[in-house]
Amino acid sequence: MTTPRVDRLTRAHSFNAAAAQYAANRPSYPPALFDAVEELTGRPLAGSRVVDVGAGTGMATASLHTRGADVIAVEPGDGMAAEFRRTLPDVPVVRGSGNALPLAGHCADLLTYAQAWHWTDPARAVPEAVRVLRPGGALALWWNTDALDVPWIAEEAERTARHFGVNLAAERRNTNARAADPAGLLHFTRREIRWSRRVPIDTHLANLASHSVLLVDGDRAATFLAEEREHLTAAFPDGTVEETYDVVLLLATTPPTPTA
């Protein structure tokens, strides 16, 4: 039987073979998220030195760059880094992970993790974040989570859980300060921002197919996606769905002076 550790690593690496699909179909993030980051840090993104860790194909990086941040991306995966370079050729990306950042100490105003912190080991990643951040800098973690109070989204989450034996809804909701930093080294403020996008059923299904649970189980994924297409086509005969998300943001600032 595969151990949970191996399964987690397999899931973490599964995105590299589907980087283009990920980039084309995954949702990005609303402007209100970046407004909240600026509010909580007390400084504009424009001119800030930002490190986007686990940058993937660059969805969050692109928004940070557009807001005027001086961004460097950190990404461990071959496929994701290649897609990042294709999409954002003018933004530097270095290979590495949050557990061992390939960066000098106290070099960043802000570290961001978009859909990526859950792939780190917080016991290593939190001290690394503190090491790389300048005094008074901030660590911002965020996730797009499904709005489970929307009936069709809740029903789809239940079907997914039954089919794969994995409670994706619980995984996506396990986004809290205690899980992010079990040792309690940082004090996180939490914000939730609701937003939505209207997309064709094909895009929604391709978005689902880019999640790690489906990527590592191709045969069962194909069956599930075919059944899900039937459900959605019956529920949305115009061929369009409105995906509704709650972006969960956790943000913590480091002390204004270096600790001993």
Side-chain angles (χ1 to χ4, degrees):
M1 178 178 291
T2 303
T3 66
R5 174 66 175 168
V6 172
D7 181 64
R8 184 171 178 274
L9 287 173
T10 301
R11 288 177 61 183
H13 290 296
S14 66
F15 302 108
N16 288 296
Q21 176 184 343
Y22 189 109
N25 299 291
R26 281 290 186 102
S28 187
Y29 306 100
L33 167 65
F34 302 97
D35 294 340
V37 170
E38 291 182 326
E39 177 192 341
L40 292 172
T41 60
R43 63 178 299 160
L45 285 167
S48 293
R49 178 67 167 171
V50 180
V51 179
D52 188 28
V53 188
T57 63
M59 287 184 178
T61 315
S63 294
L64 292 162
H65 182 65
T66 299
R67 300 281 289 232
D70 178 13
V71 192
I72 184 170
V74 177
E75 169 54 41
D78 292 339
M80 298 295 258
E83 184 67 20
F84 182 103
R85 292 188 181 100
R86 188 189 69 78
T87 306
L88 296 169
D90 297 329
V91 178
V93 55
V94 296
R95 304 299 297 282
S97 78
N99 294 332
L101 292 168
L103 301 167
H106 306 306
C107 68
D109 300 307
L110 176 66
L111 258 65
T112 61
Y113 284 78
Q115 311 287 135
W117 184 258
H118 52 283
W119 301 121
T120 70
D121 173 5
R124 299 167 64 191
V126 171
E128 272 293 89
V130 173
R131 179 185 67 80
V132 168
L133 285 168
R134 293 171 179 157
L139 171 64
L141 324 174
W142 65 78
W143 297 263
N144 268 325
T145 66
D146 293 334
L148 296 175
D149 58 329
V150 176
W152 80 266
I153 294 175
E155 291 164 6
E156 183 172 78
E158 290 172 1
R159 290 192 295 268
T160 306
R162 287 196 304 270
H163 192 92
F164 292 98
V166 176
N167 190 340
L168 295 179
E171 286 190 356
R172 292 168 185 166
R173 285 299 185 185
N174 190 25
T175 51
N176 56 67
R178 185 172 182 178
D181 179 17
L185 298 178
L186 297 173
H187 176 71
F188 285 95
T189 297
R190 180 186 175 102
R191 290 281 179 87
E192 289 196 17
I193 299 148
R194 176 155 292 197
W195 73 288
S196 65
R197 66 171 190 167
R198 292 183 61 81
V199 296
I201 288 173
D202 284 348
T203 299
H204 175 71
L205 291 172
N207 173 18
L208 289 180
S210 74
H211 285 80
S212 60
V213 170
L214 280 76
L215 289 173
V216 300
D217 196 346
D219 291 339
R220 286 207 295 173
T223 300
F224 171 76
L225 291 168
E227 294 173 353
E228 200 59 26
R229 180 181 296 278
E230 293 182 5
H231 284 294
L232 295 173
T233 301
F236 302 100
D238 68 347
T240 301
V241 299
E242 183 172 7
E243 298 175 341
T244 304
Y245 297 97
D246 292 316
V247 182
V248 176
L249 167 66
L250 299 176
L251 188 142
T253 56
T254 59
T257 56
T259 56

